[in-house]
Amino acid sequence: MEKNEIDALKEKLFYAPKHASYSMTEDEIRGADDFCEGYKNFLDNGKTERECTAEIIKLAEANGFSQFIPGEKYSQGEKIYYNNRNKSVILCVIGKKSIAEGVKIAAAHIDSPRLDLKPSPLYEDSDMAYFKTHYYGGIKKYQWPTIPLSLHGAVVLKDGTVIKVTVGEDDEDPKFVVTDLLPHLGREQSKRTLGEAIKGEDLTVLIGSRPFNSDDASESVKLNIMNILYEKYGFTETDFLSAELEMVPAFKSCDIGLDRSMIGAYGHDDRVCAYPAVMAVLDAEEPEYTVMSVLTDKEEIGSDGNTGLNSSYMKYFINYLAVAEGYDGYQVLRKSECLSADVTAAFDPIYPEVMDKRNSAFINKGVAVMKYTGAGGKSGTSDASAEFMGKVRRILDDAKVIWQVGELGKVDAGGGGTVAKYVANLDVDVVDIGVPVLSMHSPFETVSKIDVYMAYRAFSEFFKIK
Ligand code: MN
Ligand code: MN
């Protein structure tokens, strides 16, 4: 056999994903870069699930979506959104086919790891004022000190008034910081393991250092801070009890690399799948099936809570649509299909030892399809069927969406879960698919622009199923 024949045979018989740009035109690559400008905007405007929900509803309304009314019967082509408690949202376009044929779902989450303020967060020590925090989601605690933080969230007053808080996002805004020990005095600290070097209770945020009226009375710095908050927002210390306030990294998204091929930002997990899922449903014109993007909350803490996908809000939403057409929800769910759109770990050549290179996702090789997630013997995953994997593969290949296989890491290295199992538990076919991320769950994660665009293309094609 000639060498080129052998190469052709390899091409035919081997699975060998390549850098996506090899099979993209200049125009397509430029299209991917352009798409990511919108994504970067989305990242900077939404750093919490509340902000993302508001941003997504704004986009939806601008694209002709109206608020869902339970019990209403919707007809083909109608665009609706369901706002679940301002922290998760479903965007839906009614299809040509009967709802009894099932719906197509893309589900991504809009919460990200961060530092939540405790219910009684404010105190003063050594003439400095602090907020105590309880971290939310899986973080490496040592990554959070000595970076600029911003404060986001909502405070609900006793009369029900909701006060929105954002401090630290504008250039001229003050920021906040968790301090760390100087290396000169860190001899004992540096003997601790990485997981224990910074303890949960050490993630306490410095928020002020000047006393009220230059007064030397006790807790004068705390009083000054509380007075600033009262004058600006009208709330008192007791109101922290009915608040959801979060510290997140204050930096904006930006291009990474001299070639500008990547994006660095806080919260790619999972806004990097949420934004493409939102764009795909906004662009879904007269779909055959009813299509919906579910942008959910609480994934980072296990999907529990009534804004997470382990609750019934999506099931009930689908049931409302089903009943309006004369069916039961379960008849729709059993014929429905879902892309669980969540990120996966990208292979990092600096830390190859935890990855199985043959089953890892790589940045720039397209959107990653993961048959299962979970940990230690596929525990805590839905494990998609070969049949559904086959169908998804066919859809992606037919539309020339660049994709690759992904697995979180070596079998015994650790693991993680997604919303897939909660959707699968509703009798829906589901598979995980998403963008590979470097430094996942850190305050500043990195993704490839091409992969973000391929996620958008994958969800779009899924919504075009005939
Ligand atoms: Mn995620
Ligand atoms: Mn995550």
Short mmCIF file of all heavy atoms in Angstrom, two decimals, residues 341-373:
data_model
loop_
_atom_site.label_atom_id
_atom_site.label_comp_id
_atom_site.label_asym_id
_atom_site.label_seq_id
_atom_site.Cartn_x
_atom_site.Cartn_y
_atom_site.Cartn_z
N ALA A 341 -26.38 20.78 28.98
CA ALA A 341 -25.29 21.62 28.47
C ALA A 341 -24.45 22.12 29.63
O ALA A 341 -24.81 23.06 30.32
CB ALA A 341 -25.89 22.79 27.70
N ASP A 342 -23.35 21.44 29.86
CA ASP A 342 -22.46 21.86 30.95
C ASP A 342 -21.01 21.67 30.53
O ASP A 342 -20.70 20.86 29.64
CB ASP A 342 -22.79 21.06 32.22
CG ASP A 342 -22.41 21.81 33.50
OD1 ASP A 342 -21.66 22.80 33.41
OD2 ASP A 342 -22.85 21.39 34.57
N VAL A 343 -20.16 22.38 31.19
CA VAL A 343 -18.74 22.36 30.83
C VAL A 343 -18.08 21.05 31.26
O VAL A 343 -18.60 20.31 32.08
CB VAL A 343 -17.98 23.53 31.49
CG1 VAL A 343 -18.58 24.86 31.05
CG2 VAL A 343 -18.01 23.41 33.00
N THR A 344 -16.90 20.81 30.71
CA THR A 344 -16.09 19.71 31.19
C THR A 344 -14.66 20.21 31.33
O THR A 344 -14.32 21.30 30.85
CB THR A 344 -16.16 18.49 30.25
OG1 THR A 344 -15.51 17.37 30.90
CG2 THR A 344 -15.47 18.76 28.91
N ALA A 345 -13.82 19.41 31.98
CA ALA A 345 -12.43 19.79 32.14
C ALA A 345 -11.71 19.68 30.80
O ALA A 345 -11.84 18.67 30.11
CB ALA A 345 -11.76 18.88 33.16
N ALA A 346 -10.97 20.71 30.44
CA ALA A 346 -10.13 20.63 29.24
C ALA A 346 -8.80 20.01 29.64
O ALA A 346 -8.30 20.24 30.75
CB ALA A 346 -9.91 22.02 28.67
N PHE A 347 -8.24 19.23 28.74
CA PHE A 347 -6.92 18.65 29.00
C PHE A 347 -5.91 19.78 29.21
O PHE A 347 -5.85 20.72 28.41
CB PHE A 347 -6.47 17.79 27.81
CG PHE A 347 -5.13 17.13 28.04
CD1 PHE A 347 -5.03 15.96 28.76
CD2 PHE A 347 -3.97 17.72 27.55
CE1 PHE A 347 -3.80 15.37 28.99
CE2 PHE A 347 -2.73 17.15 27.79
CZ PHE A 347 -2.64 15.96 28.51
N ASP A 348 -5.17 19.68 30.29
CA ASP A 348 -4.17 20.71 30.60
C ASP A 348 -2.80 20.04 30.64
O ASP A 348 -2.53 19.23 31.55
CB ASP A 348 -4.51 21.34 31.96
CG ASP A 348 -3.62 22.54 32.27
OD1 ASP A 348 -2.51 22.61 31.70
OD2 ASP A 348 -4.05 23.40 33.06
N PRO A 349 -1.93 20.33 29.68
CA PRO A 349 -0.63 19.64 29.62
C PRO A 349 0.26 19.91 30.83
O PRO A 349 1.25 19.21 31.04
CB PRO A 349 0.00 20.17 28.32
CG PRO A 349 -0.76 21.38 27.97
CD PRO A 349 -2.12 21.27 28.57
N ILE A 350 -0.11 20.92 31.63
CA ILE A 350 0.66 21.17 32.86
C ILE A 350 0.30 20.15 33.94
O ILE A 350 1.09 19.84 34.82
CB ILE A 350 0.42 22.61 33.35
CG1 ILE A 350 0.59 23.55 32.18
CG2 ILE A 350 1.27 22.93 34.58
CD1 ILE A 350 1.21 24.85 32.37
N TYR A 351 -0.93 19.62 33.85
CA TYR A 351 -1.40 18.62 34.83
C TYR A 351 -1.93 17.38 34.12
O TYR A 351 -3.10 17.01 34.29
CB TYR A 351 -2.50 19.22 35.72
CG TYR A 351 -2.06 20.47 36.44
CD1 TYR A 351 -2.43 21.74 35.99
CD2 TYR A 351 -1.25 20.38 37.57
CE1 TYR A 351 -2.01 22.88 36.64
CE2 TYR A 351 -0.83 21.52 38.23
CZ TYR A 351 -1.21 22.77 37.77
OH TYR A 351 -0.79 23.90 38.42
N PRO A 352 -1.09 16.72 33.32
CA PRO A 352 -1.60 15.59 32.53
C PRO A 352 -1.93 14.36 33.38
O PRO A 352 -2.73 13.53 32.97
CB PRO A 352 -0.43 15.28 31.58
CG PRO A 352 0.79 15.74 32.32
CD PRO A 352 0.35 16.92 33.14
N GLU A 353 -1.35 14.29 34.58
CA GLU A 353 -1.45 13.05 35.36
C GLU A 353 -2.87 12.69 35.78
O GLU A 353 -3.14 11.53 36.06
CB GLU A 353 -0.50 13.10 36.57
CG GLU A 353 -0.74 14.22 37.58
CD GLU A 353 -0.18 15.59 37.16
OE1 GLU A 353 0.46 15.70 36.09
OE2 GLU A 353 -0.40 16.56 37.91
N VAL A 354 -3.78 13.67 35.83
CA VAL A 354 -5.15 13.34 36.27
C VAL A 354 -6.09 13.04 35.10
O VAL A 354 -7.25 12.72 35.30
CB VAL A 354 -5.77 14.48 37.11
CG1 VAL A 354 -5.02 14.65 38.42
CG2 VAL A 354 -5.80 15.79 36.33
N MET A 355 -5.55 13.17 33.89
CA MET A 355 -6.39 13.02 32.70
C MET A 355 -6.06 11.73 31.95
O MET A 355 -4.91 11.33 31.90
CB MET A 355 -6.14 14.19 31.73
CG MET A 355 -6.49 15.53 32.31
SD MET A 355 -8.27 15.68 32.46
CE MET A 355 -8.42 17.45 32.48
N ASP A 356 -7.08 11.15 31.35
CA ASP A 356 -6.87 10.07 30.39
C ASP A 356 -6.90 10.75 29.02
O ASP A 356 -7.95 11.11 28.51
CB ASP A 356 -7.98 9.03 30.51
CG ASP A 356 -7.99 8.08 29.33
OD1 ASP A 356 -7.01 8.06 28.55
OD2 ASP A 356 -9.00 7.35 29.18
N LYS A 357 -5.71 10.91 28.44
CA LYS A 357 -5.58 11.73 27.23
C LYS A 357 -6.48 11.23 26.08
O LYS A 357 -6.92 12.01 25.26
CB LYS A 357 -4.11 11.74 26.79
CG LYS A 357 -3.71 13.02 26.09
CD LYS A 357 -2.21 13.13 25.92
CE LYS A 357 -1.89 14.41 25.14
NZ LYS A 357 -0.46 14.61 24.94
N ARG A 358 -6.72 9.93 26.05
CA ARG A 358 -7.55 9.37 24.96
C ARG A 358 -9.03 9.69 25.13
O ARG A 358 -9.81 9.53 24.19
CB ARG A 358 -7.40 7.85 24.90
CG ARG A 358 -6.05 7.40 24.49
CD ARG A 358 -5.94 5.89 24.52
NE ARG A 358 -4.56 5.51 24.29
CZ ARG A 358 -3.98 5.54 23.11
NH1 ARG A 358 -4.65 5.92 22.04
NH2 ARG A 358 -2.72 5.21 22.98
N ASN A 359 -9.43 10.11 26.32
CA ASN A 359 -10.85 10.38 26.56
C ASN A 359 -11.09 11.79 27.08
O ASN A 359 -12.18 12.10 27.53
CB ASN A 359 -11.42 9.35 27.55
CG ASN A 359 -11.63 8.00 26.89
OD1 ASN A 359 -12.60 7.79 26.15
ND2 ASN A 359 -10.68 7.10 27.08
N SER A 360 -10.04 12.60 27.04
CA SER A 360 -10.19 13.98 27.51
C SER A 360 -10.69 14.88 26.41
O SER A 360 -10.46 14.63 25.24
CB SER A 360 -8.83 14.53 27.94
OG SER A 360 -8.50 14.05 29.20
N ALA A 361 -11.33 15.96 26.81
CA ALA A 361 -11.67 17.02 25.86
C ALA A 361 -10.50 18.00 25.83
O ALA A 361 -9.80 18.19 26.83
CB ALA A 361 -12.93 17.72 26.31
N PHE A 362 -10.28 18.58 24.67
CA PHE A 362 -9.19 19.55 24.49
C PHE A 362 -9.80 20.87 24.03
O PHE A 362 -10.78 20.86 23.28
CB PHE A 362 -8.22 19.07 23.39
CG PHE A 362 -7.43 17.85 23.79
CD1 PHE A 362 -8.03 16.59 23.79
CD2 PHE A 362 -6.10 17.96 24.16
CE1 PHE A 362 -7.31 15.47 24.16
CE2 PHE A 362 -5.37 16.83 24.53
CZ PHE A 362 -5.98 15.58 24.52
N ILE A 363 -9.22 21.98 24.43
CA ILE A 363 -9.74 23.24 23.90
C ILE A 363 -9.44 23.28 22.41
O ILE A 363 -8.48 22.67 21.93
CB ILE A 363 -9.18 24.51 24.61
CG1 ILE A 363 -7.68 24.69 24.38
CG2 ILE A 363 -9.49 24.51 26.08
CD1 ILE A 363 -7.24 26.13 24.63
N ASN A 364 -10.34 23.92 21.68
CA ASN A 364 -10.24 24.09 20.22
C ASN A 364 -10.55 22.84 19.42
O ASN A 364 -10.36 22.83 18.20
CB ASN A 364 -8.85 24.59 19.81
CG ASN A 364 -8.68 26.06 20.10
OD1 ASN A 364 -9.57 26.85 19.77
ND2 ASN A 364 -7.59 26.44 20.72
N LYS A 365 -11.04 21.77 20.06
CA LYS A 365 -11.44 20.61 19.27
C LYS A 365 -12.96 20.48 19.22
O LYS A 365 -13.50 19.42 18.94
CB LYS A 365 -10.78 19.34 19.82
CG LYS A 365 -9.28 19.34 19.54
CD LYS A 365 -8.61 18.03 19.84
CE LYS A 365 -7.13 18.11 19.45
NZ LYS A 365 -6.41 16.86 19.74
N GLY A 366 -13.63 21.57 19.53
CA GLY A 366 -15.08 21.59 19.39
C GLY A 366 -15.80 21.28 20.69
O GLY A 366 -15.19 21.10 21.74
N VAL A 367 -17.11 21.22 20.58
CA VAL A 367 -17.95 20.96 21.75
C VAL A 367 -17.75 19.50 22.17
O VAL A 367 -17.59 18.63 21.32
CB VAL A 367 -19.42 21.32 21.42
CG1 VAL A 367 -20.02 20.40 20.39
CG2 VAL A 367 -20.28 21.38 22.65
N ALA A 368 -17.71 19.26 23.48
CA ALA A 368 -17.43 17.91 23.98
C ALA A 368 -18.71 17.18 24.34
O ALA A 368 -19.56 17.72 25.05
CB ALA A 368 -16.51 17.99 25.19
N VAL A 369 -18.85 15.96 23.85
CA VAL A 369 -20.01 15.11 24.18
C VAL A 369 -19.56 14.11 25.23
O VAL A 369 -18.57 13.41 25.04
CB VAL A 369 -20.53 14.37 22.93
CG1 VAL A 369 -21.77 13.56 23.27
CG2 VAL A 369 -20.82 15.36 21.81
N MET A 370 -20.27 14.07 26.34
CA MET A 370 -19.89 13.19 27.44
C MET A 370 -21.00 12.20 27.72
O MET A 370 -22.08 12.59 28.15
CB MET A 370 -19.60 14.01 28.69
CG MET A 370 -18.33 14.85 28.56
SD MET A 370 -18.44 16.38 29.48
CE MET A 370 -19.52 17.37 28.46
N LYS A 371 -20.70 10.94 27.49
CA LYS A 371 -21.73 9.90 27.68
C LYS A 371 -22.17 9.86 29.14
O LYS A 371 -23.33 9.62 29.44
CB LYS A 371 -21.17 8.55 27.24
CG LYS A 371 -22.22 7.45 27.21
CD LYS A 371 -21.65 6.18 26.59
CE LYS A 371 -22.71 5.08 26.50
NZ LYS A 371 -23.27 4.68 27.77
N TYR A 372 -21.22 10.09 30.02
CA TYR A 372 -21.53 10.08 31.46
C TYR A 372 -20.57 11.02 32.17
O TYR A 372 -19.51 11.36 31.65
CB TYR A 372 -21.37 8.67 32.04
CG TYR A 372 -20.02 8.05 31.72
CD1 TYR A 372 -18.90 8.31 32.50
CD2 TYR A 372 -19.88 7.25 30.60
CE1 TYR A 372 -17.67 7.78 32.17
CE2 TYR A 372 -18.64 6.71 30.26
CZ TYR A 372 -17.54 6.98 31.05
OH TYR A 372 -16.32 6.48 30.72
N THR A 373 -20.98 11.43 33.36
CA THR A 373 -20.06 12.17 34.25
C THR A 373 -19.92 11.31 35.50
O THR A 373 -19.59 10.14 35.40
CB THR A 373 -20.61 13.58 34.56
OG1 THR A 373 -21.89 13.47 35.18
CG2 THR A 373 -20.73 14.42 33.31
#
